[in-house]
Amino acid sequence: MSKTYVPAQLRRKIIERANRCCEYCLRPELFSLSIHEVDHVIAEKHGGTTTEDNLALACKLCNTYKGSDIASIDPETDEITPLYNPRRDRWQEHFQLKEAELIPLTAQARTTIRLLQLNRSSILKERPLWLVSGLIYIPD
Ligand SMILES: [Zn+2]
């Protein structure tokens, strides 16, 4: 989350790269009440830059839950664990989609799912609609 101005051209690139879907919960922007936001994966206060390789598209809720965090507590091991980084990490190595639920394959994924509440009950009700819409984008 950042208030830093992201130039329009860069913003467009981030939106297109993500196919207008949140890179954390996968929500297509069309299924959101507010427009998706450009997230600094590594927040500026931790040295992250406003460049393509540090920006991700996030829905307002994911961006709010994430804030400027870059790590959290793994609910299984209680260890401080980095969050999933959509620029450095391959989605398929960290997550699996089982019907509407995100299944974590790694500690990073577990930690991210908990912090961003990616399997909260409201999302589990909505994600099937995103899937049938054909608008959802599942990253590689
Ligand atoms: Zn989201």
Side-chain angles (χ1 to χ4, degrees):
M1 184 154 62
S2 169
K3 303 284 177 240
T4 295
Y5 175 71
V6 178
Q9 201 182 351
L10 181 56
R11 190 184 150 74
R12 266 199 304 277
K13 255 188 167 168
I14 304 308
I15 293 169
E16 280 166 24
R17 181 175 62 189
N19 291 283
R20 297 189 175 269
C21 292
C22 174
E23 295 189 61
Y24 298 101
C25 72
L26 309 179
R27 180 192 298 271
E29 192 175 47
L30 220 63
F31 286 86
S32 183
L33 295 176
S34 45
I35 60 164
H36 283 5
E37 300 175 342
V38 175
D39 159 56
H40 283 75
V41 180
I42 307 295
E44 290 176 290
K45 75 176 190 188
H46 300 295
T49 54
T50 305
T51 50
E52 271 183 79
D53 62 355
N54 186 48
L55 297 175
L57 195 65
C59 71
K60 192 172 188 63
L61 281 172
C62 283
N63 209 6
T64 301
Y65 284 126
K66 180 169 172 282
S68 62
D69 295 349
I70 55 176
S72 185
I73 307 293
D74 178 352
E76 206 169 291
T77 63
D78 286 336
E79 300 278 343
I80 295 177
T81 303
L83 299 178
Y84 163 71
N85 179 328
R87 294 289 73 77
R88 289 187 196 162
D89 303 323
R90 289 200 56 200
W91 192 89
Q92 306 270 2
E93 288 172 11
H94 291 273
F95 302 96
Q96 235 170 31
L97 201 52
K98 191 182 167 213
E99 288 157 29
E101 196 183 347
L102 284 180
I103 307 296
L105 304 176
T106 61
Q108 268 173 278
R110 253 189 332 259
T111 305
T112 306
I113 287 171
R114 194 198 61 85
L115 184 71
L116 275 59
Q117 303 187 30
L118 300 179
N119 283 326
R120 62 186 180 275
S121 60
S122 60
I123 283 198
L124 293 182
K125 284 183 203 140
E126 292 179 75
R127 200 175 274 127
L129 304 174
W130 311 343
L131 285 163
V132 296
S133 77
L135 294 171
I136 199 167
Y137 172 68
I138 315 285
D140 294 334

